[in-house]
Amino acid sequence: MLEKGKISSIQAIMLMISMILPTAVLTVPAITVKSARQDAWFSIIIATMAGLLIAWMVVNLGLRFPEKTLFEYIEDILGKIPGKILGFLYIWWFLHMNALVIREYGVFLATAVMPDTPIIIFHIVVVAVAAYAVRNGLEVLSRANQLLIPTTVLLALVFILSIPNMKLSRVLPLFDAGLFPIVKGAVVPASWLGEIVTFAMIIPYLSKPKEAYRVAFLSILLVSFFLTTSILEALLIFGPNLTGSWIFPTFNAVRMISVGNSLGRLEIIIVLAWVLGGFFKIGVFYYAAVLGSAQWLKLKNYQPLVLPVGIILVALSILIHDGIVDLLDFLKRVWPPYALIVFEAGIPLVLLIIAVVGRKGGRKIA
Amino acid sequence: MVKFRKLTKAGLLGQIQDNFKKIIASDASSKSIVLSNDLEINLQRIKVILHKCSDVVYRDFIFAQNEQIRLALIYIDGLADSGQISNQIMRALALEVPMAVPGQNITKSEALEFIKQRGLCISQFKETEQMQDIIHAILSGDTILLVDGHATAIINNSRGKVQSLSNSEGKTMVRGPRELFVENLRINTALIRRRIKSPNLKIETFKVGNVSDTDIALVYIEGIVNEKLVAEVKSRLEKIKIDAVLESGYIEELIEDNPWSLFPTVNHTEKPDKLAAMLLEGRVAILLDGTPVVLTVPNLFVEYFQTPEDYYQRFLFTPAARFIRFISMIITLILPSLYIAVVSFHHELLPTPLLLSFAAHREVVPFPVFLEVFIMEVVFEVLREAGNRLPQLIGQIVSIGAALVLGAMAVQAGFMATSTVIVVIFTGIASFVFAYSASIAFRLLRFGLLVLAGTLGLFGLISGVAVIAIHMCTLRSFGVPYLSPIAPTTGADLADVIYRAPWWAMFSRPRLIAGQNRKRQEQGLKPSPQKNK
Amino acid sequence: MLKKIAFLLLLFLLISPLEGCWSRREINEIAIVLGTGVDWTAEGKLRLTVQIANPGAFVGEGGRGQEATNWVVSAESKTIEEAERVLAKMVPRDLHWDQSIILVLGEEMAKKGTNMVTDFFQRNIEPREIMWLMVAKGEAKNFLETYSELEKTSAQAAGFLTRMKTGYSVQLWEYAEMLASKGVQPVATRVEVKEVGVTPGLDLEKMTPIHKQVEISGVGVFKEDKLIGWLDEYETIGLLWLKNEFIKGVITIPSPSESNKEVSIKIRRGSTKIVPEFDGENLRFTIKVKVEGDMVEQQGREDLAKPDKIKALEKEMAEEIKRRAIVLLQKAQGEFGVDIFGFGDDFHRKYKKAWRELKDQWDVKFAEAEVNIEVEAYIREISLLGKRASSPEK
């Protein structure tokens, strides 16, 4: 076993929340609202269904091969050569996704927090912090995450502080745009919730694998809850027209807060809470990529891979897109079919079908 | 090199003892054990009960009047007054007992009565046949006299005054005992014994240091402590090969888990009451002869927020006090960096009037904020160090007073902005609030964060904090995660982190420390007025 | 371990302060903008005017009390950013917009269209979307150059005046939201420079000259992003009621039996409900206003502390509100022909499908709509006096 640590179910839930939420809160609202307008929250509910389905698939698959991660059982199911090829694709996907996430973070920090700082500085720092956590293994990653996740509660606090700016009438009438835009709006959040696929890397290290279903479902539901909260927050403040026109609506919603007459402009604090979450989001994918590569290469220890993968991540995140317009367009058009259909739903579904039909995989933990 | 000094002679523990071990293993039957007529059996039984208690002294000798009669004295070194024992009991019985009838020795059967009547120069004694009473008496500092051939023991009152140091100049306590450990190992073990009169309180003694040959004692409570922990501590102690240990700091550095970490993973205390509480939670203490500082392991980070007063004062006050300590820690770590980040990167966080006032104060200051804070911090650390080296009263005046005066002057001269001086001095004061050993770590890390905040603003600061958090998560102290019970969270143990559960609700010992027997107390202790029938 | 330390050191050096402090701006290297104004000049250029604080003058004790608290400086150019660059050549410090509390548009600028201004303030990080948006009667530059007695600067004075919500006040983002919606046309606070009295002083020579002071005086009405007209203070109160925003205003009505004496009612709370009705052809709105107020002043000596008198007052109050609303509605439907009340949004909420067809010609539909007003008014308190005790009538 490459990873000796075990994490508890609560730690796993927190890790999954940190893995999905930080960038989802930032980028998803604008994209969804543009399509589904004031019914964006309904899109999230649809996306949650999809997320739950993917979570079910992943856990079902994972529990058929106890103590094995995605990269190990993929070979059991498909055989050595196809398994290796798919495994390589997944490594690429983890790297690519992570590079995107890092870029999103860099872009956000460079536009919203420190406009004059070169973006690569953020990338290097974020990857270095994540690398430090990853090097120390899953236990440390999830423990540090557990320690710092309470900052997510700030999202709820932001909601409460924004109430004076809100008007319920801004999300009415319901179902204005029709069913198709709502479903269309659900695609992008679904591709985010589908990141739960990464859970396949963590199932073997749960101290209570029996609770894997519960962990996956609860994570999806909690993420959806926070996502809905932040979308509703932006909608209730700005209405659908203005929300769709911001690039980071949640960030602008936070900018509206002022406590009393003197204490305002607190968004930087919230931003930093997100940044903190970002370390762990990047950390989880980083970990998945590193652990996956080590298993793919049949190494005895994954730590030598941490530094090279980190360098690849920094380089990739810089090279991958020219600017924010390019990035957002990619996230809106290419990402959902690429991530959702292929890596998050497609391959796991095929794997599950082959496993069930071919009766592969050992005992299933009930 | 550690030399295992075995106080129990290996050959003595025979088959009788094995049987006896089984008997005392079941708690219920041990209460009704009575003495036997045979001195040897009695001695062995007591030794079984008090095994691994290196401070118990067994002295067997021959009665002055009849060489056939063997006597034995049992007492605890340090707790009992050994001068009194040797002068008034030993001397009388071994040398000076008068003849009852001149020329005629006393027989075995008469011995007990004779000793009672004429042999002891001691004002108070009791007789007992119960083993339980005997153990209790030994642990209380009394001296037991066993006479061969009699199933009765004489309990001599020999409770001495333990020479401890009273806390007059150290930290003042709001409430609680003022006693402190001293440099003498025996007195220190006695101080612990006095608080925990249990035969399960084990004190194992080693020697450490090739040249210094210093006594070192391992103290724990059997039945509460995790046996693996004791084994681990022992194995680490046995690995020490050094010429001398002059202070427990030597040991600390040689046994800690993460030598490169700024955070101490071995705690230390000078207060016997605090040590007793820690032993009762299942920790292991390491006492060293020649120093009053006692090491305890495993050490959790939360310990730095817990003070003995928390447990002596009413429980409702604890959350507030702990909150203050926690806030002080945060302030010590990040306030100056936060100030730099806000003033030179994120002005928007300041309300307009405050920003204008900051700006007005800073108009004349020649340095960037980062440099200003850095210089001021260094100045403050210099003053603090000077304060440590000076006699105590002057030291305090220097460290605080000079800081204030210097700060005021620097502001007047236009070197510093008022706000900087306020921030730095407040940070300095806050670093005094919680335990010294942890505050050193934070004070050093603070400088690192200063640089990060001066470069990347709040982003740098938060990255630094994340790295510190991750680092603290990697730490373990003797197998226990440093940040438990917060991360990883262990539910019931949180009852002593943010708040302290009232004593009637603190049912269990810390899960990750205590090995077994986690129950502290019975349910239903919550006081309530007696209801009328 | 050594490698680890070396690595950390390298990382540290890489980002050390020596390398560069990209986003760092020392507090004494920034020019704090308190208020911003934009005008459209006769030559067809944008003129950006900023009011910059002089921090030294803000600190009372030991400060330089006699210095001017602010410096108003302006620059002309094609875009705001370009104007800012021009300003950068005049102001020896970096302009810092975070504290700017107001954005004043000159009258000409507002007529020309606000879109070319507001984008800069929404897009960039520093200027806040919560700054109060106002339209100046006349030039924004003049407005910023005025002086305030209680506050340090006119920008702060105007900002605080708006914040008190004595009239209709709107923040930039609210304006942007109104602009983005088809169901409502935006309005913005109107401000004016008024010449107020002379500050009393003993010495005639030292007497301050007649100085100019800011005042809030109604709202400006927009069609899309262009200013088309004004509403005065009296009408503004009506606008607020119809927009369901009840500020603590006053209604003055004649005393029931002494028609030459007035009674003042302070409004405590109220609500407005707009009920649209649409049968495919005709559009009708029923506006249900409910107002609660306290009687706070009475000029006459009538005993008003009687249920029937209160009833009469309430009736009079309702009539007054209705009158104001009708005047305003006529103006909006007739003179301006724009829906400044947000009836369109209410209609949208009720008739989703019809809205899709009507939304592009909503202002025309609105102008043709029939509007009914139903007012319920209540007087809850009469403060400390019951019947007024005074000298008996001769």
Side-chain angles (χ1 to χ4, degrees):
Chain A
M1 289 279 268
L2 284 164
E3 172 64 57
K4 288 178 198 75
K6 289 270 178 196
I7 62 173
S8 72
S9 303
I10 288 176
Q11 284 178 323
I13 291 176
M14 288 175 173
L15 207 57
M16 292 298 106
I17 292 175
S18 282
M19 181 187 78
I20 303 174
L21 199 59
T23 46
V25 167
L26 216 51
T27 20
V28 168
I31 297 172
T32 305
V33 168
K34 237 175 242 164
S35 161
R37 297 181 55 82
Q38 62 265 52
D39 300 316
W41 55 273
F42 197 74
S43 296
I44 303 295
I45 293 178
I46 296 176
T48 309
M49 303 293 171
L52 288 176
L53 214 63
I54 293 172
W56 178 82
M57 273 195 310
V58 169
V59 176
N60 194 302
L61 205 51
L63 292 185
R64 279 166 196 278
F65 301 91
E67 301 188 354
K68 281 194 175 172
T69 69
L70 179 67
F71 290 89
E72 291 167 322
Y73 60 67
I74 213 166
E75 287 177 32
D76 289 3
I77 294 175
L78 296 175
K80 190 147 170 107
I81 303 296
K84 281 280 183 211
I85 293 169
L86 267 190
F88 182 75
L89 286 178
Y90 263 107
I91 294 173
W92 159 252
W93 185 62
F94 282 136
L95 287 174
H96 185 189
M97 176 158 59
N98 211 355
L100 279 176
V101 172
I102 295 167
R103 186 58 184 258
E104 274 169 64
Y105 252 83
V107 163
F108 176 67
L109 285 169
T111 48
V113 186
M114 302 174 81
D116 299 327
T117 311
I119 196 168
I120 192 163
I121 298 294
F122 299 120
H123 292 204
I124 292 173
V125 173
V126 164
V127 171
V129 173
Y132 182 46
V134 170
R135 226 193 107 81
N136 283 298
L138 185 62
E139 266 189 5
V140 168
L141 186 68
S142 45
R143 243 185 262 153
N145 176 52
Q146 181 179 20
L147 193 66
L148 298 174
I149 207 172
T151 48
T152 310
V153 178
L154 285 172
L155 282 177
L157 185 73
V158 165
F159 190 86
I160 292 165
L161 289 176
S162 312
I163 286 176
N165 288 330
M166 293 180 183
K167 267 188 198 162
L168 193 61
S169 63
R170 288 184 181 129
V171 290
L172 296 174
L174 300 176
F175 307 114
D176 187 35
L179 191 63
F180 181 67
I182 294 179
V183 175
K184 199 176 148 216
V187 172
V188 172
S191 70
W192 247 268
L193 291 170
E195 288 171 4
I196 193 81
V197 167
T198 319
F199 188 46
M201 301 300 293
I202 288 164
I203 294 175
Y205 309 120
L206 288 178
S207 58
K208 288 176 192 151
K210 277 182 190 175
E211 292 177 358
Y213 278 115
R214 211 182 297 168
V215 170
F217 292 161
L218 261 178
S219 320
I220 291 282
L221 290 176
L222 283 170
V223 169
S224 304
F225 171 75
F226 279 114
L227 196 53
T228 314
T229 315
S230 49
I231 285 195
L232 271 181
E233 185 191 338
L235 274 176
L236 285 168
I237 292 175
F238 295 126
N241 295 312
L242 206 53
T243 308
S245 74
W246 300 118
I247 288 179
F248 308 115
T250 332
F251 173 67
N252 283 84
V254 177
R255 275 167 76 91
M256 298 298 113
I257 295 173
S258 73
V259 187
N261 279 330
S262 56
L263 211 58
R265 303 179 291 260
L266 298 172
E267 81 268 5
I268 193 88
I269 295 170
I270 309 298
V271 165
L272 293 165
W274 285 337
V275 170
L276 220 46
F279 289 137
F280 294 100
K281 171 158 192 148
I282 292 159
V284 177
F285 291 139
Y286 195 163
Y287 176 78
V290 167
L291 185 69
S293 327
Q295 286 171 340
W296 192 75
L297 295 166
K298 305 258 182 250
L299 297 184
K300 287 210 172 61
N301 186 0
Y302 65 79
Q303 281 164 349
L305 289 175
V306 172
L307 189 63
V309 168
I311 291 167
I312 292 173
L313 281 176
V314 174
L316 200 58
S317 63
I318 292 294
L319 298 174
I320 203 161
H321 290 294
D322 301 332
I324 189 167
V325 178
D326 194 21
L327 174 69
L328 286 177
D329 191 62
F330 180 84
L331 285 179
K332 214 160 79 183
R333 285 175 208 281
V334 187
W335 183 249
Y338 166 69
L340 185 63
I341 296 178
V342 180
F343 289 101
E344 291 172 359
I347 299 178
L349 184 66
V350 171
L351 289 177
L352 188 61
I353 289 169
I354 297 176
V356 170
V357 172
R359 292 178 187 284
K360 287 186 181 163
R363 71 204 153 83
K364 206 180 137 197
I365 301 168
Chain B
M1 185 166 158
V2 177
K3 289 172 201 156
F4 217 122
R5 191 214 271 174
K6 283 191 174 143
L7 282 165
T8 50
K9 288 171 207 150
L12 275 177
L13 297 171
Q15 208 184 351
I16 321 161
Q17 285 186 322
D18 289 340
N19 292 338
F20 192 67
K21 266 185 191 165
K22 280 172 201 156
I23 300 171
I24 60 162
S26 58
D27 199 46
S29 56
S30 74
K31 283 199 172 132
S32 53
I33 295 168
V34 288
L35 286 175
S36 100
N37 276 330
D38 188 347
L39 178 69
E40 202 57 35
I41 291 175
N42 283 338
L43 270 178
Q44 281 176 12
R45 284 181 175 179
I46 292 171
K47 279 177 183 167
V48 169
I49 294 173
L50 295 176
H51 71 284
K52 292 184 185 167
C53 294
S54 66
D55 56 340
V56 182
V57 177
Y58 302 90
R59 175 78 167 92
D60 50 350
F61 56 100
I62 292 164
F63 192 37
Q65 289 222 350
N66 185 345
E67 297 201 346
Q68 301 296 312
I69 301 173
R70 290 183 59 221
L71 303 173
L73 281 172
I74 307 160
Y75 62 92
I76 287 193
D77 190 10
L79 208 54
D81 184 347
S82 55
Q84 191 188 359
I85 294 166
S86 44
N87 279 331
Q88 278 138 318
I89 304 174
M90 283 281 294
R91 197 182 170 85
L93 295 175
L95 298 173
E96 298 175 348
V97 182
M99 300 269 177
V101 181
Q104 193 185 335
N105 282 348
I106 288 157
T107 58
K108 231 179 190 178
S109 54
E110 293 167 348
L112 183 71
E113 197 55 30
F114 180 79
I115 289 170
K116 273 182 356 195
Q117 297 298 337
R118 303 191 57 182
L120 289 170
C121 323
I122 204 133
S123 53
Q124 276 182 20
F125 66 85
K126 276 186 289 184
E127 281 174 84
T128 185
E129 286 152 18
Q130 296 290 328
M131 186 61 92
Q132 207 187 341
D133 295 343
I134 292 173
I135 299 296
H136 180 78
I138 296 174
L139 294 170
S140 306
D142 288 339
T143 306
I144 301 294
L145 178 65
L146 291 174
V147 183
D148 197 17
H150 294 269
T152 307
I154 300 171
I155 302 172
N156 301 287
N157 182 5
S158 64
R159 295 185 192 190
K161 190 169 170 275
V162 181
Q163 296 163 335
S164 67
L165 196 69
S166 185
N167 185 359
S168 56
E169 55 212 48
K171 286 183 281 187
T172 48
M173 279 197 64
V174 179
R175 178 171 178 179
R178 264 72 173 164
E179 232 170 19
L180 292 178
F181 282 125
V182 294
E183 278 77 3
N184 184 318
L185 180 66
R186 270 293 151 246
I187 294 177
N188 290 349
T189 54
L191 284 171
I192 303 168
R193 276 263 182 248
R194 212 166 68 180
R195 284 179 172 77
I196 305 172
K197 288 173 189 154
S198 161
N200 287 336
L201 179 80
K202 301 303 178 195
I203 301 176
E204 292 187 59
T205 319
F206 308 79
K207 291 254 184 208
V208 70
N210 290 343
V211 179
S212 68
D213 218 22
T214 316
D215 282 319
I216 181 169
L218 203 62
V219 183
Y220 56 88
I221 301 175
E222 201 176 58
I224 292 176
V225 78
N226 187 343
E227 295 296 341
K228 282 182 198 154
L229 174 67
V230 179
E232 175 67 27
V233 176
K234 265 189 206 164
S235 82
R236 288 193 198 184
L237 284 175
E238 276 161 14
K239 275 185 204 141
I240 299 177
K241 290 185 172 76
I242 193 172
D243 56 353
V245 283
L246 302 179
E247 213 276 334
S248 49
Y250 285 49
I251 306 284
E252 178 175 350
E253 267 186 33
L254 289 163
I255 63 167
E256 68 187 342
D257 290 59
N258 308 79
W260 285 100
S261 174
L262 282 174
F263 293 93
T265 46
V266 176
N267 202 355
H268 57 79
T269 181
E270 289 180 48
K271 294 176 70 62
D273 53 321
K274 189 176 171 192
L275 185 72
M278 289 178 136
L279 292 174
L280 284 166
E281 282 187 349
R283 287 190 177 80
V284 174
I286 301 161
L287 281 75
L288 193 75
D289 196 24
T291 176
V293 182
V294 177
L295 304 178
T296 56
V297 291
N299 171 32
L300 305 185
F301 185 60
V302 287
E303 285 172 29
Y304 295 115
F305 300 104
Q306 299 164 341
T307 66
E309 281 102 326
D310 288 351
Y311 302 90
Y312 304 151
Q313 284 183 331
R314 300 188 56 230
F315 70 93
L316 288 168
F317 307 147
T318 2
R322 294 219 169 137
F323 181 71
I324 292 291
R325 275 171 229 143
F326 179 73
I327 289 290
S328 302
M329 178 200 87
I330 301 283
I331 287 172
T332 310
L333 187 62
I334 71 170
L335 184 69
S337 327
L338 194 65
Y339 171 72
I340 291 180
V342 168
V343 171
S344 56
F345 287 88
H346 310 282
H347 319 120
E348 69 270 14
L349 273 171
L350 299 169
T352 315
L354 193 60
L355 175 69
L356 289 170
S357 127
F358 270 27
H361 285 133
R362 297 204 53 82
E363 293 270 284
V364 290
V365 180
F367 309 114
V369 193
F370 169 71
L371 210 58
E372 196 185 340
V373 173
F374 205 89
I375 294 171
M376 194 65 201
E377 285 284 354
V378 171
V379 168
F380 193 88
E381 291 296 322
V382 167
L383 293 174
R384 180 211 294 269
E385 192 57 28
N388 284 348
R389 299 283 154 256
L390 288 167
Q392 208 157 36
L393 198 65
I394 307 171
Q396 278 168 9
I397 293 166
V398 166
S399 55
I400 307 293
L404 295 175
V405 174
L406 260 180
M409 287 300 157
V411 169
Q412 277 212 329
F415 294 151
M416 305 275 162
T418 328
S419 42
T420 312
V421 176
I422 294 171
V423 164
V424 171
I425 292 189
F426 181 55
T427 311
I429 302 285
S431 70
F432 288 115
V433 171
F434 59 101
Y436 183 75
S437 48
S439 85
I440 295 177
F442 284 116
R443 274 157 47 203
L444 280 173
L445 286 170
R446 185 175 63 192
F447 285 95
L449 289 183
L450 279 186
V451 175
L452 279 174
T455 322
L456 287 170
L458 275 179
F459 174 72
L461 174 59
I462 218 82
S463 309
V465 170
V467 169
I468 293 172
I470 295 170
H471 171 70
M472 289 175 81
C473 288
T474 64
L475 297 182
R476 274 169 184 273
S477 173
F478 287 81
V480 181
Y482 195 47
L483 285 182
S484 72
I486 305 163
T489 313
T490 37
D493 298 355
L494 288 173
D496 195 13
V497 176
I498 305 156
Y499 60 100
R500 172 181 70 81
W503 283 115
W504 39 262
M506 215 188 272
F507 299 114
S508 61
R509 306 177 207 285
R511 187 165 70 93
L512 289 172
I513 300 171
Q516 49 204 322
N517 179 15
R518 293 186 48 226
K519 191 170 141 193
R520 267 195 222 251
Q521 57 185 283
E522 297 295 329
Q523 299 269 347
L525 288 178
K526 185 180 172 186
S528 59
Q530 201 164 8
K531 286 182 189 111
N532 290 331
K533 279 170 196 170
Chain C
M1 200 62 225
L2 261 173
K3 256 200 289 181
K4 221 181 202 175
I5 293 169
F7 177 72
L8 279 177
L9 269 178
L10 205 72
L11 202 75
F12 223 64
L13 270 179
L14 207 70
I15 55 168
S16 83
L18 304 169
E19 294 275 323
C21 322
W22 306 279
S23 306
R24 183 154 95 196
R25 281 194 292 169
E26 291 294 330
I27 221 165
N28 42 5
E29 288 164 9
I30 54 168
I32 301 160
V33 175
L34 292 177
T36 315
V38 184
D39 285 309
W40 183 256
T41 61
E43 302 91 66
K45 276 187 169 178
L46 284 167
R47 184 173 63 210
L48 175 69
T49 310
V50 288
Q51 194 182 61
I52 297 169
N54 176 8
F58 276 80
V59 182
E61 250 182 293
R64 296 155 286 177
Q66 294 308 303
E67 270 180 66
T69 52
N70 61 68
W71 177 31
V72 178
V73 57
S74 41
E76 289 173 25
S77 200
K78 273 184 278 182
T79 62
I80 307 259
E81 179 61 25
E82 217 176 82
E84 196 199 350
R85 288 299 105 206
V86 177
L87 277 180
K89 290 174 194 161
M90 296 189 256
V91 183
R93 297 181 181 186
D94 257 345
L95 284 183
H96 185 71
W97 299 88
D98 271 310
Q99 314 288 339
S100 175
I101 188 174
I102 54 167
L103 172 59
V104 192
L105 299 177
E107 195 175 345
E108 287 306 311
M109 186 71 244
K111 280 180 181 155
K112 187 75 189 160
T114 58
N115 275 349
M116 53 205 291
V117 177
T118 48
D119 180 81
F120 176 85
F121 295 95
Q122 284 181 58
R123 184 180 297 275
N124 287 294
I125 280 297
E126 274 189 14
R128 299 274 138 181
E129 303 89 277
I130 49 172
M131 57 167 86
W132 300 102
L133 182 77
M134 20 189 107
V135 185
K137 188 125 174 62
E139 288 205 334
K141 186 168 182 283
N142 294 343
F143 180 82
L144 286 173
E145 278 167 353
T146 56
Y147 164 81
S148 165
E149 201 56 55
L150 268 182
E151 303 300 334
K152 299 275 189 192
T153 69
S154 56
Q156 283 180 311
F160 297 157
L161 272 175
T162 343
R163 200 167 66 192
M164 303 250 308
K165 302 224 173 197
T166 45
Y168 182 78
S169 43
V170 59
Q171 291 180 336
L172 185 57
W173 65 276
E174 288 169 316
Y175 176 81
E177 194 211 342
M178 287 191 278
L179 202 54
S181 167
K182 285 203 162 134
V184 61
Q185 292 294 349
V187 282
T189 321
R190 174 170 91 161
V191 283
E192 256 182 279
V193 179
K194 282 262 168 79
E195 291 187 354
V196 281
V198 179
T199 317
L202 289 174
D203 197 344
L204 270 175
E205 277 174 24
K206 276 191 182 170
M207 217 148 73
T208 43
I210 295 175
H211 66 246
K212 294 167 180 171
Q213 187 125 29
V214 296
E215 192 197 40
I216 289 178
S217 57
V219 295
V221 178
F222 288 77
K223 186 181 174 70
E224 300 297 324
D225 67 327
K226 294 182 177 63
L227 180 75
I228 52 168
W230 307 101
L231 294 180
D232 64 18
E233 285 133 285
Y234 184 80
E235 292 157 337
T236 305
I237 301 288
L239 174 70
L240 283 163
W241 291 341
L242 290 189
K243 280 177 92 83
N244 198 11
E245 280 176 45
F246 283 79
I247 56 162
K248 285 189 179 143
V250 168
I251 303 177
T252 304
I253 45 174
S255 209
S257 48
E258 297 167 294
S259 53
N260 56 342
K261 297 278 168 39
E262 304 283 346
V263 174
S264 274
I265 314 280
K266 197 175 188 175
I267 295 168
R268 286 284 175 224
R269 59 195 146 258
S271 65
T272 306
K273 212 176 154 198
I274 294 158
V275 185
E277 282 166 69
F278 186 58
D279 57 6
E281 275 297 309
N282 302 310
L283 188 58
R284 199 168 73 219
F285 287 100
T286 311
I287 303 169
K288 291 176 179 164
V289 184
K290 199 174 157 190
V291 184
E292 288 177 39
D294 301 344
M295 191 185 83
V296 290
E297 193 183 349
Q298 174 194 5
Q299 289 179 334
R301 294 191 308 154
E302 207 177 340
D303 181 7
L304 291 176
K306 286 178 183 161
D308 57 324
K309 295 280 184 187
I310 295 292
K311 281 272 172 309
L313 275 177
E314 284 173 348
K315 203 177 161 217
E316 193 59 44
M317 190 173 150
E319 282 302 314
E320 169 68 17
I321 291 169
K322 209 166 172 174
R323 256 198 308 281
R324 284 198 191 192
I326 287 170
V327 168
L328 180 67
L329 274 167
Q330 278 170 349
K331 206 166 175 180
Q333 284 186 311
E335 193 184 324
F336 301 135
V338 290
D339 177 8
I340 49 175
F341 309 107
F343 287 0
D345 285 339
D346 288 296
F347 181 78
H348 180 193
R349 261 164 239 140
K350 195 164 175 188
Y351 301 98
K352 270 193 293 198
K353 283 195 185 125
W355 172 250
R356 274 176 217 163
E357 290 152 28
L358 293 185
K359 66 179 176 186
D360 290 323
Q361 35 160 336
W362 177 250
D363 285 333
V364 182
K365 276 281 168 194
F366 166 75
E368 291 165 358
E370 184 192 333
V371 183
N372 295 326
I373 303 169
E374 294 166 15
V375 183
E376 285 176 61
Y378 301 98
I379 291 169
R380 300 292 188 204
E381 315 279 339
I382 55 167
S383 288
L384 297 178
L385 274 180
K387 181 177 181 281
R388 198 172 158 185
S390 60
S391 58
E393 257 176 284
K394 282 166 199 164

